[in-house]
Amino acid sequence: MRYFQIFQHHRNLFLCLILPSILLWGAVIRLLNWHFYPVPCRDAFFYENMIEQWEMTKSIPIMTQSMRANDIPPLAIYLMKLPRMWFPCDIITGGVIINIFLGIFLIYIIWQIALQIFQSKFLAGMAALLAASNPFLVEYSTQMTREIPYLFFASCTVLFFVRFWQKQKWYDIIWAGISCSLSYLCRHEAFELYFILGMICFFLCIGKIISWQKAAVSIPVFLTSGLISLLLCSWLIGCPIEYYYGAYSKMKVAIGWFI
């Protein structure tokens, strides 16, 4: 009995140390990759010019027109220039810093998704380890690109949707709508999530996991919270609502990718 208690103690200690160790590993491998391969990608120079135009004109519409970048949502660009507000650094370094930060938090979000689905810290640790060591995620985290902010908010959408699916708490579907809207403000391809989550919700109703009445109420809540967060976020970063008047053509591109 004593040996079993010792085994359980060491097992629980091991499971508690899995997540911090994986997060530390993810941070180290990203910093090492940035140190040994600091060459910016082609898109980084384009985003650098966008931020320079933004800081010079103080206007998102003028910036996007001068850069011919009307199809690029503003949130990811805004996040990339945030570090320059806190401490002096060049634009590309600031963009990489915010991507490394979000890339490490993305590992935690994937841990939480796997933990909610499998109810196993070991399997959740394996999923987080795959995310921490994935070459594409490591590379995107050490480059000034929009992929990591988009994946971070999209993963948050999946996490809160899974929590709503299992616990059926209203605040989870509200946070899912907010996260989905923020992912759309990083890349318009996030519009696909509305179709995917809608189909999943439909099959959950068919399987009687979620009642039709619950789904009928949760869908407007999801869309309303997303719309409010889109308007509020746009106002906070200084993006006028007129910027989204041409969103229909951008949505057609996203729908084309989905189909």
Side-chain angles (χ1 to χ4, degrees):
M1 186 68 178
R2 179 173 175 271
Y3 290 108
F4 178 75
Q5 291 176 345
I6 294 174
F7 171 77
Q8 282 293 104
H9 171 74
H10 287 290
R11 180 179 180 274
N12 293 334
L13 181 63
F14 171 73
L15 292 176
C16 290
L17 292 177
I18 284 180
L19 180 59
S21 302
I22 292 174
L23 292 176
L24 180 61
W25 165 249
V28 169
I29 195 173
R30 280 156 176 78
L31 291 173
L32 287 175
N33 186 75
W34 187 26
H35 175 73
F36 289 110
Y37 303 99
V39 180
C41 63
R42 180 187 60 183
D43 290 348
F45 296 107
F46 182 72
Y47 298 142
E48 181 184 29
N49 292 333
M50 288 185 66
I51 293 175
E52 288 177 349
Q53 289 288 329
W54 192 347
E55 293 177 344
M56 183 173 61
T57 61
K58 307 296 183 183
S59 171
I60 294 179
I62 296 176
M63 176 267 291
T64 53
Q65 289 176 7
S66 61
M67 295 294 299
R68 296 182 179 179
N70 293 317
D71 58 336
I72 295 180
L75 181 57
I77 308 301
Y78 177 79
L79 292 174
M80 291 177 192
K81 77 186 191 76
L82 272 182
R84 287 166 57 82
M85 302 179 183
W86 302 329
F87 52 86
C89 66
D90 62 86
I91 295 176
I92 292 181
T93 299
V96 173
I97 289 174
I98 200 70
N99 272 354
I100 290 177
F101 182 77
L102 291 177
I104 295 172
F105 266 89
L106 178 61
I107 300 171
Y108 174 75
I109 297 299
I110 292 175
W111 157 279
Q112 284 291 339
I113 293 173
L115 189 61
Q116 292 292 326
I117 294 175
F118 300 113
Q119 299 295 317
S120 168
K121 287 186 177 181
F122 179 77
L123 293 178
M126 294 300 100
L129 183 61
L130 288 173
S133 307
N134 185 279
F136 293 103
L137 291 181
V138 172
E139 184 66 23
Y140 283 141
S141 297
T142 56
Q143 291 288 346
M144 188 178 175
T145 62
R146 294 181 293 145
E147 274 72 14
I148 290 298
Y150 160 68
L151 289 174
F152 173 76
F153 290 118
S155 298
C156 288
T157 304
V158 174
L159 171 61
F160 290 120
F161 184 81
V162 170
R163 285 170 57 91
F164 172 74
W165 159 14
Q166 294 183 339
K167 301 179 180 180
Q168 299 192 19
K169 300 294 184 180
W170 289 111
Y171 55 80
D172 285 324
I173 200 65
I174 291 173
W175 280 112
I178 293 172
S179 301
C180 194
S181 178
L182 295 178
S183 66
Y184 176 78
L185 286 174
C186 291
R187 291 189 70 94
H188 291 302
E189 288 83 353
F191 192 72
E192 303 166 358
L193 288 174
Y194 291 97
F195 293 96
I196 295 172
L197 296 180
M199 288 190 296
I200 293 175
C201 189
F202 175 75
F203 286 115
L204 290 176
C205 291
I206 290 179
K208 297 182 179 180
I209 298 175
I210 297 178
S211 66
W212 290 100
Q213 293 82 358
K214 191 91 171 182
V217 177
S218 62
I219 291 175
V221 171
F222 176 83
L223 296 176
T224 302
S225 61
L227 179 61
I228 293 174
S229 62
L230 185 145
L231 296 175
L232 181 60
C233 182
S234 299
W235 176 73
L236 289 174
I237 66 179
C239 181
I241 194 62
E242 291 83 4
Y243 179 79
Y244 300 103
Y245 285 174
Y248 175 70
S249 61
K250 302 165 190 176
M251 288 182 185
K252 288 195 297 184
V253 176
I255 294 172
W257 278 103
F258 176 75
I259 295 174

